[in-house]
Amino acid sequence: MQFNYSTVTNLTKSQHDESNEQLFFVSSYSKFENLAHGPRGIPAIRPINVFRFNDADGSMVLQNKFGDPKEVMNPAFSRYHPKLNVVYTCTEDCQQNGQIIAYSITADGHLTKLGQVDAGGTSTCYLTIDRSHRNLLAVNYWDSTIAVFSIDAATGNFVSSKSHSLYDPKKGETMKASLKVDGGVNHSLNDASTIKHRQADPHSHGLILDKYFGTIAYVPDLGKDLIRELYYDRENASIDFEMNSLPSGLCTGHPDGPRYIEFHPNFNTAYVVNELSSTVSHLRFSQLVC
């Protein structure tokens, strides 16, 4: 059977494990009708799977199946804490606000729920932890909002059930397009009608912070074919304003649909994955901008 996998997160080796094995945290969609797009396959019965991966021979062994779809619906993206054995996952739902759930994870892939918060927006699709490891930034695709949550540096759990701040690039304007369940288009398609409706609104789809100071948030906007440059106040844990924006592709007149952006680990360059044009853009980064 084919399941629609939403994300695969590579968890680091356990502290006492000197082998070549790692844990892979695989999340899957479990309720297709609540999504903006139309996945293929069948909904997952248990939407979270933890595999043990051996990088010496490429084998993967299922360690744990987790998650009641009624409690963890459409876990779209997961992020592993860089210092703690904690993994965060977010749920994708166009009709209701997404949820962000924190789990502690053991060496054998067992998950224990630590906490849960409302993402402050719909279709939550991306999570980033800032340089201090004290804040988690969440991106909501459908209404394009970005929320910031404080997390405990010692435990990784959420400090509060409410977001510390919420940024809306629409500046309070209502969405122009309708939900799929209300007659809106299927965002998996790329015909003229879908393009017209999908690109009518901003749709934030990712967020990375600059690798020097962690104060500029680069946000691909799949709806407006832009990379937004937002100022992140790391002291007050808030996205304050938009500094600039730049095209995500070659401006051919056709939509690019930027989905993800990532910095090169060694060079001052970044790469943007454009979903709709099936292209990758190579951008130069200047440290002087920071």
Side-chain angles (χ1 to χ4, degrees):
M1 292 186 293
Q2 177 190 5
F3 294 99
N4 188 279
Y5 290 110
S6 47
T7 59
V8 178
T9 299
N10 182 4
L11 308 187
T12 59
K13 300 174 185 178
S14 60
Q15 295 178 355
H16 62 274
D17 187 0
E18 299 298 330
S19 70
N20 293 319
E21 295 186 335
Q22 304 170 59
L23 293 179
F24 277 14
F25 187 95
V26 181
S27 56
S28 308
Y29 289 128
S30 56
K31 193 172 183 179
F32 291 177
E33 58 265 33
N34 286 45
L35 299 170
H37 61 296
R40 296 184 175 90
I42 61 174
I45 298 175
R46 293 289 181 184
I48 296 174
N49 294 267
V50 181
F51 293 85
R52 182 167 296 279
F53 172 73
N54 188 312
D55 59 15
D57 60 15
S59 62
M60 291 179 64
V61 178
L62 179 64
Q63 297 289 110
N64 187 23
K65 297 176 70 70
F66 186 81
D68 183 338
K70 295 179 181 179
E71 299 177 1
V72 190
M73 183 183 67
N74 295 334
F77 187 90
S78 302
R79 173 72 68 185
Y80 188 60
H81 194 288
K83 296 280 189 179
L84 305 171
N85 286 324
V86 175
V87 65
Y88 305 88
T89 192
C90 58
T91 64
E92 185 173 345
D93 187 341
C94 287
Q95 303 173 48
Q96 303 178 44
N97 280 4
Q99 300 295 308
I100 307 171
I101 307 169
Y103 299 101
S104 64
I105 185 166
T106 62
D108 62 357
H110 180 75
L111 301 173
T112 300
K113 183 178 176 179
L114 296 177
Q116 179 173 336
V117 293
D118 187 294
T122 47
S123 284
T124 312
C125 65
Y126 200 88
L127 305 171
T128 291
I129 297 173
D130 72 2
R131 291 167 64 94
S132 71
H133 304 152
R134 292 182 177 274
N135 299 290
L136 181 145
L137 296 85
V139 176
N140 299 304
Y141 169 81
W142 183 254
D143 63 10
S144 205
T145 55
I146 301 169
V148 183
F149 299 87
S150 298
I151 53 178
D152 189 277
T155 67
N157 199 4
F158 301 105
V159 173
S160 171
S161 61
K162 296 184 179 180
S163 64
H164 195 279
S165 67
L166 184 70
Y167 179 80
D168 183 2
K170 304 188 308 302
K171 304 185 185 304
E173 292 185 7
T174 58
M175 299 286 295
K176 297 180 177 64
S178 300
L179 295 169
K180 190 171 62 176
V181 295
D182 297 327
V185 297
N186 180 346
H187 283 210
S188 290
L189 304 178
N190 210 19
D191 56 85
S193 176
T194 302
I195 292 171
K196 177 181 177 181
H197 288 84
R198 182 186 51 225
Q199 311 306 107
D201 299 294
H203 291 297
S204 303
H205 209 301
L207 186 154
I208 62 171
L209 298 170
D210 76 86
K211 60 182 182 178
Y212 291 102
F213 305 105
T215 56
I216 300 179
Y218 294 91
V219 179
D221 186 334
L222 192 147
K224 294 302 180 181
D225 292 325
L226 297 171
I227 305 298
R228 299 184 187 275
E229 298 179 352
L230 309 177
Y231 176 70
Y232 173 60
D233 185 338
R234 59 187 183 184
E235 299 300 325
N236 294 311
S238 63
I239 298 286
D240 287 352
F241 56 88
E242 183 171 325
M243 302 167 56
N244 191 22
S245 64
L246 63 154
S248 65
L250 297 176
C251 302
T252 62
H254 298 285
D256 286 305
R259 184 181 181 98
Y260 293 130
I261 181 172
E262 193 64 55
F263 281 114
H264 191 284
N266 299 321
F267 303 116
N268 287 332
T269 59
Y271 302 90
V272 177
V273 176
N274 292 303
E275 177 181 338
L276 304 182
S277 61
S278 298
T279 60
V280 176
S281 297
H282 179 210
L283 306 178
R284 185 172 59 192
F285 174 80
S286 172
Q287 186 178 352
L288 297 176
V289 175
C290 297

